[in-house]
């Protein structure tokens, strides 16, 4: 099955010192890097997705700021595909769908930030477009959310969204995904 890795919004503003710091972004970024290196080493299709705010007074990911840059943990190498987006859904008003179709992709592996927003929106859209979806649970991060006076801890937000995404595809760790891809590759040889 032709597979592509999506690395969504692993950008400086989500890390310590950034304008929208998440919970454990570096740990998630390191797991996304494991996947990225696997795809780089085996010549697999992978796409960096970078969110750029449309408004210059946006709270984060402002165009031209270091906060909007892709974090070094999953650094974008020259020549690697990159998609710039302005909405949570990585497919909305971008060339991502066209790119994946041109490559003949049937399955997407999703990593990135934030679990409750861009990861969720992209995974659901990918399923709607007919892709098989795998979400790398430990290669994603989110933050605490507030509803009324209730604070929902990031860990609960993360797990609740992953539980819902199981209706759209498989949810596995980065190591499980790498093992599954290696098993599939072994069967092809």
């Amino acid at each position: 099955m032709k597979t592509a890795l999506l690395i969504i919004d692993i950008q400086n503003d989500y890390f310590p010192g950034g304008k929208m710091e998440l919970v454990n972004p570096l740990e998630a970024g390191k797991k996304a890097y494991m996947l990225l290196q696997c795809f780089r080493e085996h010549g697999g299709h992978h796409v960096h997705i970078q969110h750029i705010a449309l408004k210059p007074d946006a709270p984060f990911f402002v165009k031209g700021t270091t906060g909007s840059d892709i974090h070094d943990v999953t650094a974008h190498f020259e020549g690697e595909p990159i998609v710039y987006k302005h909405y949570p859904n990585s497919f909305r008003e971008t060339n991502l769908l066209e790119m994946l179709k041109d490559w003949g992709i049937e399955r997407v592996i999703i990593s990135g930030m934030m679990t409750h927003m861009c990861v969720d929106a992209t995974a659901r859209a990918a399923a709607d477009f007919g892709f098989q979806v795998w979400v790398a649970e430990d290669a994603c991060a989110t933050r605490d959310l507030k509803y009324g006076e209730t604070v929902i801890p990031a860990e609960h937000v993360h797990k609740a969204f992953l539980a819902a995404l199981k209706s759209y595809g498989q949810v596995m760790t980065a190591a499980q995904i790498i093992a599954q891809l290696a098993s599939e590759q072994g069967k092809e040889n």
Side-chain angles (χ1 to χ4, degrees):
M1 180 170 289
K2 292 205 70 171
T3 303
L5 173 65
L6 307 183
I7 308 119
I8 303 172
D9 301 352
I10 301 184
Q11 294 168 244
N12 291 333
D13 272 341
Y14 283 152
F15 287 79
K19 293 182 178 177
M20 181 58 73
E21 187 176 336
L22 303 184
V23 174
N24 299 322
L26 190 57
E27 292 82 349
K30 287 178 180 178
K31 296 296 183 177
Y33 175 76
M34 281 176 45
L35 290 166
L36 178 57
Q37 280 304 101
C38 177
F39 275 74
R40 283 175 173 158
E41 289 170 13
H42 294 31
H45 292 291
H46 54 281
V47 183
H48 294 269
I49 299 169
Q50 185 177 3
H51 194 113
I52 302 295
L54 286 171
K55 298 177 183 174
D57 61 344
F60 58 102
F61 293 163
V62 175
K63 184 177 184 170
T65 65
T66 57
S68 70
D69 292 344
I70 293 174
H71 192 274
D72 286 345
V73 73
T74 56
H76 172 259
F77 291 172
E78 191 173 328
E80 290 182 323
I82 188 164
V83 168
Y84 300 99
K85 69 178 181 68
H86 307 294
Y87 302 97
N89 174 355
S90 299
F91 292 94
R92 183 177 171 187
E93 297 179 28
T94 71
N95 65 335
L96 180 59
L97 181 59
E98 181 182 348
M99 184 183 297
L100 297 175
K101 285 184 173 185
D102 286 348
W103 290 340
I105 298 301
E106 300 169 9
R107 172 173 57 207
V108 292
I109 296 171
I110 297 177
S111 64
M113 302 174 181
M114 296 185 281
T115 312
H116 77 276
M117 187 61 67
C118 299
V119 167
D120 179 68
T122 301
R124 290 171 188 254
D128 288 346
F129 282 125
F131 295 102
Q132 187 183 100
V133 175
W134 289 2
V135 177
E137 64 179 81
D138 56 350
C140 299
T142 195
R143 64 185 177 91
D144 295 350
L145 294 180
K146 192 170 181 183
Y147 183 76
E149 296 303 312
T150 304
V151 174
I152 303 103
E155 179 184 6
H156 295 179
V157 172
H158 184 67
K159 288 182 177 177
F161 275 82
L162 292 172
L165 286 175
K166 288 180 108 175
S167 298
Y168 288 86
Q170 295 187 56
V171 176
M172 299 179 271
T173 66
Q176 288 171 326
I177 288 171
I178 290 168
Q180 182 64 36
L181 291 173
S183 170
E184 289 176 6
Q185 188 68 28
K187 289 176 185 172
E188 291 175 12
N189 294 333

